[in-house]
């Protein structure tokens, strides 16, 4: 390993074996999950919370910029370096810092930085509880703390964005002093040397835990989502009401632990599949259900026919991977895939990522795993809705379905059909990226927007002008329908000016009063609105943590 004062200090803090400086070994940490890249002088893997603190001290002492990184699953370039900086950049990867400590018989959890949503889900299952999110990034290794830092949304109608007011984090204050802020609501001592070992080991005396210290989840969300006739989005990353300490911090502090609520596991679930060619029917159904139903459904997932087709072809291997291996093996499978791709990336003349091309070719030889009724509904209907409710809500749900749709337009799924419908919805999320990989010669790029429409927007299904649509090969629409949060992936033909088209599309969304991004945070792709920019400046006044996100200044103290 090359030597320099800062590298020597990092080695002293974290251990020589935990400091990576080799270019090939650093590279996976310097490249975003979907896009974006930059350079760091080192990637550090602290193996204890105290080592993480000492590493921060070394970075502070040597005026290094700090990018905190966990599983690197973000979609807006917010957990990797981005282009050039005026000071050395150090990536602090927290994936070695595992740990989950339950409070109050599992009703709350204290999570360390490297603990994943999947690990939390597995730990909660035996006691009949589950975490905030149960789909999506859970399976690709995203961390609990990463979700909090990004106010991640999730698919569940009864739970808002990941949020807590109870956290332990480090910041550099306006006097350029590194400080550890304990807002966990647990008495752990006065110094980092006292506090951090207690947190790591879960040494929480019963009388040290306060239950009135603040919220550990967004308990206002059910009221907000029911306001279907009200202006404003139900949930989005920049919502000022959910910017607090670690929540929404997006790397502007380094988080050592968060304290979160857990939730009773959903049981006796019934799934309905709905089709329509009239978007007004879906609008009326959403309005009636949200305003009149005694309880909210578990999930309401929307798919458009074009997305159905792309997912059926380009998401088949993801579908089968989950079906055959189960979600418990997914994180390991994704990790193995990344290692194989990293190896083959060094070899010339092979398509990259190699595993995507191999999996796509193999999947073509396998019959479709979709139930016949789903294919029938695809042929008959342009718009699809998957509704999951508790068993005691079936009579009420079917009342609303019969009121808003023709009886032949919906059906109650068998257990197998319901599982496969949701797997198909899950596979849809990566279908656009796979399409671009396979057809890279014909595709300029993908524009992936996740947007939150105003709750009372009557025209939720987008109509684009010809000046934009002529350059689009595929429009892939899916989302969380009752939340009015939509993922809209656009695949542009070769030669299209994607940046200009993106600006035109965002102008349309601005005119509609939509908020974006809804779930993936601003990263380096979107400007931070004033409330979010102010929050970032207050958290990190010297601009040493993750500078440049939200298209803000990268200079010390945010000078131009």
């Amino acid at each position: 390993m090359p030597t320099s004062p800062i590298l020597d200090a990092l080695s002293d803090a974290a251990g020589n074996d935990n400091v990576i400086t080799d270019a090939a070994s650093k590279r996976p940490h310097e490249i975003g999950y979907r896009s974006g890249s930059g350079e760091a002088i080192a990637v550090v893997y602290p193996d204890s919370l105290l080592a993480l603190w000492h590493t921060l001290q070394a970075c502070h002492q040597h005026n290094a910029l700090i990018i905190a990184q966990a599983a690197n699953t973000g979609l807006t370039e917010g957990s990797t370096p981005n282009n050039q900086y005026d000071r050395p950049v150090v990536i602090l990867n927290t994936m070695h810092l595992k740990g989950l400590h339950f409070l109050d018989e599992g009703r709350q959890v204290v999570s360390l930085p490297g603990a994943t949503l999947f690990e939390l889900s597995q730990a909660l299952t035996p006691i009949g509880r589950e975490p905030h999110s149960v789909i999506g990034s859970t399976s690709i290794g995203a961390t609990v703390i990463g979700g909090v830092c990004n106010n991640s949304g999730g698919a569940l109608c009864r739970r808002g964005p990941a949020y807590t007011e109870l956290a332990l984090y480090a910041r550099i204050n306006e006097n350029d002093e590194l400080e550890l802020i304990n807002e966990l609501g647990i008495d752990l001592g006065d110094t980092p040397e006292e506090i951090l070992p207690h947190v790591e080991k879960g040494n929480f005396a019963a009388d040290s835990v306060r239950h009135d210290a603040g919220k550990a989840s967004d308990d206002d969300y059910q009221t907000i989502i029911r306001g279907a006739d009200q202006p404003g989005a139900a949930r989005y990353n920049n919502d000022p009401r959910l910017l607090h300490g670690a929540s929404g911090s997006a790397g502007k502090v380094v988080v050592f632990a968060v304290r979160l609520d857990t939730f009773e596991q959903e049981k006796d679930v019934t799934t309905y599949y709905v089709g329509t060619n009239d978007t007004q029917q879906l609008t009326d159904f959403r309005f009636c259900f949200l305003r009149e139903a005694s309880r909210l459904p578990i999930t309401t997932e929307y798919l458009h026919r074009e997305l159905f087709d792309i997912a059926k072809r380009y998401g088949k291997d993801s579908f089968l991977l989950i079906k055959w291996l189960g979600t418990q093996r997914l994180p390991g499978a994704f990790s193995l895939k990344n290692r194989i791709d990293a190896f083959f990336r060094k070899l010339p003349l092979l398509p990259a990522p190699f595993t995507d091309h191999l999996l796509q070719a193999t999947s073509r030889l396998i019959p479709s795993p979709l139930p016949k009724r789903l294919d029938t509904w695809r042929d008959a209907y342009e718009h699809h809705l998957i509704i999951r409710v508790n068993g005691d809500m079936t009579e009420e749900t079917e009342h609303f379905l019969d009121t808003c749709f023709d009886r032949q337009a919906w059906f109650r799924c068998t257990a197998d059909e319901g599982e496969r419908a949701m797997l198909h919805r899950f596979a849809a999320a990566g279908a656009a990226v796979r399409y671009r990989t396979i057809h890279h010669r014909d595709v300029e790029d993908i524009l992936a927007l996740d947007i939150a429409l105003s709750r009372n927007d009557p025209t939720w299904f987008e109509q684009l002008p010809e000046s934009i649509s002529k350059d689009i090969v595929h429009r892939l629409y899916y989302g969380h329908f009752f939340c009015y949060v939509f993922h809209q992936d656009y695949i542009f033909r070769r030669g299209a000016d994607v940046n200009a088209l993106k600006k035109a599309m965002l102008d349309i969304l601005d005119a509609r009063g939509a908020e974006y991004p809804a779930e993936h945070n601003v990263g380096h792709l979107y400007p931070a609105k004033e409330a979010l920019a102010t929050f970032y400046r207050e958290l990190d006044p010297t601009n040493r943590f993750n500078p440049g996100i939200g298209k803000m200044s990268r200079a010390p103290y945010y000078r131009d």
Side-chain angles (χ1 to χ4, degrees), residues 290-487:
L290 287 177
R291 298 294 293 174
E292 300 174 19
S294 60
R295 292 163 62 197
L296 291 170
I298 300 170
T299 56
T300 53
E301 294 297 290
Y302 168 79
L303 292 88
H304 184 257
R305 176 189 279 159
E306 191 167 3
L307 186 278
F308 185 106
D309 293 342
I310 294 293
K312 182 177 179 180
R313 181 171 180 180
Y314 296 94
K316 186 194 295 183
D317 58 287
S318 295
F319 181 112
L320 294 172
L321 187 68
I322 304 170
K323 183 66 176 173
W324 290 342
L325 298 182
T327 55
Q328 69 272 17
R329 292 187 174 90
L330 273 187
F334 276 104
S335 177
L336 176 62
K337 177 184 183 300
N338 290 336
R339 291 198 299 271
I340 294 172
D341 285 337
F343 172 79
F344 280 102
R345 197 176 288 116
K346 302 173 185 178
L347 303 180
L349 304 180
L350 288 177
F354 175 75
T355 58
D356 286 270
H357 288 269
L358 178 63
L359 289 169
Q360 186 62 34
T362 303
S363 70
R364 292 176 182 174
L365 305 176
I366 303 173
S368 171
L370 293 181
K372 290 183 178 180
R373 277 208 285 189
L374 264 65
D375 281 326
T376 300
W377 253 244
R378 178 264 168 223
D379 294 339
Y381 302 108
E382 181 181 1
H383 306 281
H384 298 232
L385 191 66
I386 307 168
I387 308 163
R388 299 172 71 241
V389 299
N390 298 104
D392 60 359
M393 292 180 62
T394 57
E395 182 178 348
E396 184 177 27
T397 301
E398 291 178 11
H399 163 73
F400 287 114
L401 289 170
D402 281 334
T403 300
C404 298
F405 302 99
D406 296 334
R407 180 60 187 85
Q408 66 271 20
W410 62 270
F411 63 90
R412 186 192 294 195
C413 298
T414 66
D416 182 66
E417 287 174 329
E419 178 190 11
R420 291 174 185 265
M422 287 304 294
L423 284 177
H424 187 53
R425 161 64 184 87
F426 177 84
V433 176
R434 173 63 61 79
Y435 183 97
R436 178 182 62 180
T437 299
I438 302 302
H439 300 281
H440 61 93
R441 291 185 179 88
D442 304 315
V443 172
E444 183 66 31
D445 204 353
I446 295 173
L447 174 60
L449 300 180
D450 70 297
I451 63 170
L453 296 181
S454 180
R455 290 169 292 170
N456 62 352
D457 190 333
T459 55
W460 57 270
F461 187 67
E462 181 177 63
Q463 300 295 329
L464 291 173
E466 173 65 18
S467 58
I468 295 175
S469 61
K470 65 182 177 62
D471 287 315
I472 299 175
V473 179
H474 290 292
R475 281 180 274 187
L476 309 178
Y477 298 135
Y478 56 109
H480 316 306
F481 189 65
F482 276 15
C483 307
Y484 254 20
V485 169
F486 293 93
H487 303 290

Side-chain angles (χ1 to χ4, degrees), residues 230-252:
Q230 301 297 310
R235 59 176 172 88
Y236 58 101
N237 283 140
N238 301 335
D239 190 344
R241 75 184 182 87
L242 298 179
L243 301 176
H244 186 286
S247 295
S249 59
K252 298 304 285 182

